[in-house]
Amino acid sequence: MMGIATSSLHAFHKSNGSSISNSFCRLGLQFASVHSNSFSNDDHRPPSKFQKVTNLEDALNLFDEMTQRRPLPSVVKFTQLLNSVSKMKHFSSSLDLFKQMCAIGVPVSVYSMSIAIRCCCRLYRTKDGFALLGCCFRRAVVPNVFIFSTLLDGLVLEDRILEAERLFKKLIKHKLCETNVVMYNTMIKGLCKFGSNDIAIGLLRLMDERGCKPNIVTYNTIIDSLCKDRMIDDAFKIFKEMVFDKGILPNVITYNSLIYGLCLLGRGDEVSKMLKEMEDEKISPDLQTFNILVDAYCKEGKVDEAEAVIDTMVEKGVSPDIVTYNSLIDGYCLRGEMTKARKLFDSLTSKGLVPDVFTFNCLLNGYCKNLEIEEAMHMFHEIKRKGLKPDIVTYSTMLQGLYRVGRCGDACTLFDEMRAHGQLPNQCTYRIVLDGLCNNHQVEEALSLFRLVDDSKLNSDIAVYTILIDGASKCGKLDTARSLFHELTIKGLQPNVWTYCTMISGLCGEGLLTEAKHLFLKMDESGCPPNDVTYRVLLQGFLKNQHYDDVEMLLQEMDGRSYSLDASTLSLLIDQTAAGSLDRSMLKLIGRLVPKELMGAPS
DNA sequence: TTAGGGTTAG
């Protein structure tokens, strides 16, 4: 049995051969091949002080002290210290200690090896983790399910889903180690992260068939993923299966995922029901539950309710943390209440909380949206002054702010700076930059950037195309807009409602109403039915071009679909009726299309 | 020792 396993491992090792040996060299590790007899056998002694080590400095001092002792403390003691440093998330330091342990001849065990591998993985250096796996083979340390699960998790962390799947299948096929529920859960997490909820559910069924019972973590992983993907009904189906078929009781994590999913869809009534259910089940809401609620209220603009949630949590003895206040700051910013946002930000220190990059990003975004670009700039410099590192969101937010006030040159400099600081622009950054250029009459620059960046994700992003179509048509380059729209079809990309609206608006702007109407009719055929915005865009096009034939028909269709008018379209309709261009008999129909919030508002 | 939940740009 062992022989087969070892040879299979060898085959596996071979397939990763070159990268392993390279990484191994980089790690520069030397291992003790034989157990040294210079270690004490102090396992029977009461726990020594290192088990109480709570900070890195103490741990490192203790390690130094331990290396001076003769005989050397036991292997177990060294490994326990290694574990506590890695538990403190000081992965680099933990790896350094591991290297030193090897250098002074502390024998490598499967346990210390798994800690070291975990550190590599958490540092996004899974490749080095595999290098250590290679060392296991050389040192006759038989890798176990802990080591393989950790490596699998590392691949998932780095979004290397295909390699993760390959490893997972190999482990099972060749029985390289015992598989357990944690390993299945890790693979399920990877599949969910990759957006393959169906395959993840398939694996849930498969593990059950193979006699590996799914547990609460398995179900929570899938429920959470479905909730995040707005598939709340499917999430509830799985939830019911877990509770009623498997008899697994939900915990606070399960409820938090479901509450998050409901909030995402604005289904507040059901959130209250879930909270009630938790109370009945004697499951107390925790910090994260409250944070989900605070954030949901803030996003809806209901800051007062969010503040009330914070009061409740404090009453219940749950202290708000930086995440809670980040959501609240964001809520204030969204309402343009920058003074309140700033005041809260300034009070964080007195609450014993340290602002993080999220905090700064929220404030930065608030200042940018309120066109207070100097304040935003100030915040941007504060980030570095506080010893934090601006991330991709910081740069993207700042770029958007600069474009919004027309400072294209500064935006360009910042765009270069971000790349120089190792922050690679993502799809969202590109959308912001292209949109910024287009809105500042630099469509040519936007188009050249788009053509220059040969990125498959960017070049197949429907939002990017829509931004460019909009930019091109707004600056009179309708032919460019048309050819971009045509390019979509060639690439097999499906225009969405926004794309159609943009193109229709562009055509209307040039008075090309027949072409606009043709495109409008094409939407239903293409499986992308027009929404209220599309109707408004086309109506405005007709009205502005004094083309009244189809207006009544469009209004009737809107009525049939229960769509409503917005203020500007309504105003155009009323003006043209007053001018006698539209028949007054249409007023009744128009009245039906006025939403409640516009009733009584001056037109 | 390995696995699950909350915040920021669009």
Side-chain angles (χ1 to χ4, degrees):
Chain A
M1 174 67 190
M2 186 58 80
I4 295 167
T6 314
S7 68
S8 302
L9 276 175
H10 191 68
F12 169 76
H13 179 198
K14 253 183 160 172
S15 68
N16 288 277
S18 60
S19 66
I20 285 175
S21 51
N22 291 341
S23 308
F24 177 55
C25 293
R26 271 193 288 131
L27 279 170
L29 293 178
Q30 288 180 326
F31 294 96
S33 54
V34 285
H35 281 250
S36 160
N37 55 10
S38 58
F39 293 92
S40 71
N41 185 7
D42 53 4
D43 293 349
H44 60 282
R45 288 185 202 166
S48 58
K49 57 184 170 181
F50 75 83
Q51 281 172 333
K52 293 179 204 131
V53 163
T54 50
N55 66 68
L56 181 62
E57 204 188 335
D58 289 353
L60 297 181
N61 288 335
L62 181 59
F63 184 84
D64 282 342
E65 188 204 307
M66 281 165 71
T67 57
Q68 305 300 316
R69 275 190 232 158
R70 287 297 177 275
L72 280 167
S74 73
V75 179
V76 175
K77 292 279 182 259
F78 273 109
T79 312
Q80 282 176 337
L81 181 58
L82 187 70
N83 193 35
S84 34
V85 175
S86 95
K87 280 272 152 67
M88 286 187 259
K89 297 190 176 174
H90 293 294
F91 304 119
S92 290
S93 305
S94 188
L95 270 179
D96 284 340
L97 294 188
F98 180 68
K99 275 189 224 172
Q100 286 184 54
M101 280 165 63
C102 296
I104 60 170
V106 179
V108 172
S109 68
V110 69
Y111 183 17
S112 62
M113 192 57 110
S114 74
I115 296 170
I117 291 177
R118 181 168 175 270
C119 291
C120 292
C121 292
R122 290 296 157 114
L123 289 165
Y124 291 84
R125 285 164 45 188
T126 303
K127 201 176 169 187
D128 292 336
F130 277 103
L132 286 174
L133 176 69
C135 298
C136 287
F137 304 126
R138 278 192 285 277
R139 299 293 150 191
V141 171
V142 181
N144 58 10
V145 66
F146 292 101
I147 286 188
F148 282 118
S149 292
T150 305
L151 285 167
L152 190 67
D153 197 46
L155 291 173
V156 168
L157 194 70
E158 291 180 17
D159 288 322
R160 294 159 65 180
I161 189 70
L162 290 177
E163 288 160 89
E165 265 190 288
R166 224 177 294 148
L167 172 62
F168 181 71
K169 284 179 183 163
K170 198 174 261 181
L171 291 173
I172 290 179
K173 190 176 170 192
H174 300 293
K175 295 192 170 64
L176 300 184
C177 67
E178 294 293 321
T179 46
N180 64 10
V181 65
V182 176
M183 186 167 266
Y184 275 99
N185 288 350
T186 308
M187 193 63 239
I188 286 176
K189 176 177 76 169
L191 291 165
C192 288
K193 193 178 172 199
F194 190 64
S196 309
N197 291 326
D198 290 345
I199 303 177
I201 294 170
L203 191 54
L204 163 77
R205 310 273 176 251
L206 196 68
M207 67 189 280
D208 214 1
E209 281 170 27
R210 286 177 182 164
C212 181
K213 285 215 171 310
N215 61 12
I216 182 78
V217 178
T218 324
Y219 278 100
N220 280 351
T221 308
I222 292 173
I223 289 171
D224 187 64
S225 177
L226 290 169
C227 289
K228 289 213 175 83
D229 292 345
R230 296 168 182 266
M231 297 160 78
I232 191 81
D233 298 325
D234 295 285
F236 273 110
K237 256 185 227 161
I238 297 285
F239 173 74
K240 284 184 182 134
E241 171 190 309
M242 174 182 95
V243 180
F244 300 114
D245 300 347
K246 303 286 174 192
I248 299 172
L249 289 176
N251 61 13
V252 67
I253 297 178
T254 327
Y255 280 107
N256 285 349
S257 294
L258 291 168
I259 290 172
Y260 179 83
L262 289 169
C263 287
L264 208 58
L265 297 171
R267 284 159 64 168
D269 297 350
E270 288 161 87
V271 172
S272 316
K273 260 193 256 168
M274 294 310 293
L275 291 168
K276 176 79 178 46
E277 202 174 302
M278 283 173 79
E279 210 180 322
D280 295 343
E281 302 289 331
K282 305 264 180 291
I283 297 171
S284 306
D286 65 3
L287 177 61
Q288 303 206 24
T289 322
F290 288 114
N291 282 350
I292 293 167
L293 298 175
V294 168
D295 191 59
Y297 276 130
C298 287
K299 284 212 173 79
E300 281 180 37
K302 297 175 180 168
V303 181
D304 296 343
E305 277 91 337
E307 287 169 335
V309 173
I310 296 179
D311 291 341
T312 311
M313 66 195 280
V314 173
E315 277 167 27
K316 290 188 183 282
V318 180
S319 302
D321 68 353
I322 190 69
V323 177
T324 325
Y325 289 114
N326 284 348
S327 291
L328 192 57
I329 288 175
D330 198 45
Y332 289 139
C333 289
L334 287 176
R335 287 160 58 111
E337 297 176 351
M338 291 314 295
T339 317
K340 272 190 171 176
R342 185 53 190 259
K343 216 172 143 189
L344 178 55
F345 173 79
D346 290 335
S347 74
L348 288 174
T349 325
S350 65
K351 296 181 199 293
L353 296 170
V354 182
D356 58 12
V357 177
F358 268 82
T359 326
F360 281 100
N361 288 348
C362 291
L363 263 183
L364 203 66
N365 186 37
Y367 284 125
C368 287
K369 293 276 149 66
N370 286 284
L371 308 178
E372 295 179 53
I373 199 72
E374 289 310 324
E375 271 304 320
M377 263 312 196
H378 173 70
M379 274 292 150
F380 179 70
H381 294 305
E382 272 299 290
I383 297 176
K384 289 186 221 167
R385 232 174 47 80
K386 296 269 186 217
L388 294 165
K389 200 175 150 212
D391 64 9
I392 181 97
V393 179
T394 320
Y395 282 107
S396 303
T397 309
M398 204 59 234
L399 281 169
Q400 194 177 42
L402 288 168
Y403 281 120
R404 207 161 273 191
V405 295
R407 282 166 59 173
C408 296
D410 291 336
C412 191
T413 313
L414 191 68
F415 192 50
D416 290 338
E417 185 196 308
M418 98 181 252
R419 283 178 290 189
H421 282 82
Q423 293 289 349
L424 285 181
N426 61 14
Q427 220 168 331
C428 184
T429 323
Y430 277 115
R431 285 183 197 175
I432 288 169
V433 171
L434 295 175
D435 196 44
L437 289 170
C438 287
N439 289 328
N440 284 286
H441 316 289
Q442 299 195 15
V443 178
E444 288 298 344
E445 284 79 355
L447 287 166
S448 348
L449 179 64
F450 174 67
R451 300 290 177 210
L452 192 73
V453 180
D454 190 25
D455 178 295
S456 61
K457 253 191 181 171
L458 175 73
N459 290 312
S460 54
D461 181 2
I462 191 76
V464 161
Y465 271 96
T466 310
I467 287 165
L468 293 173
I469 290 170
D470 191 44
S473 44
K474 275 190 183 139
C475 74
K477 294 178 186 294
L478 194 69
D479 287 342
T480 311
R482 265 208 208 95
S483 50
L484 282 164
F485 192 83
H486 184 60
E487 202 175 299
L488 283 176
T489 334
I490 298 171
K491 283 195 173 177
L493 289 169
Q494 176 68 34
N496 59 26
V497 178
W498 180 31
T499 326
Y500 276 111
C501 286
T502 308
M503 195 64 235
I504 290 171
S505 170
L507 292 166
C508 288
E510 293 292 316
L512 299 164
L513 301 183
T514 316
E515 204 179 329
K517 194 173 151 189
H518 179 73
L519 196 57
F520 176 81
L521 294 172
K522 211 181 127 190
M523 290 180 75
D524 258 325
E525 294 167 24
S526 315
C528 175
N531 63 4
D532 48 354
V533 180
T534 332
Y535 274 94
R536 291 172 199 162
V537 166
L538 194 64
L539 260 178
Q540 291 207 16
F542 284 170
L543 293 168
K544 284 179 186 163
N545 287 283
Q546 287 94 44
H547 179 96
Y548 304 113
D549 300 351
D550 296 317
V551 170
E552 188 169 2
M553 182 197 71
L554 286 177
L555 290 172
Q556 267 161 358
E557 280 186 26
M558 283 183 82
D559 191 29
R561 294 182 189 227
S562 304
Y563 289 160
S564 59
L565 290 164
D566 62 329
S568 62
T569 318
L570 179 65
S571 156
L572 272 174
L573 281 163
I574 291 172
D575 288 350
Q576 310 238 1
T577 313
S581 311
L582 285 174
D583 199 311
R584 293 187 70 83
S585 62
M586 241 182 268
L587 281 174
K588 204 175 161 190
L589 175 59
I590 294 171
R592 277 208 300 273
L593 297 170
V594 180
K596 260 187 267 163
E597 59 268 24
L598 285 184
M599 285 288 192
S603 58

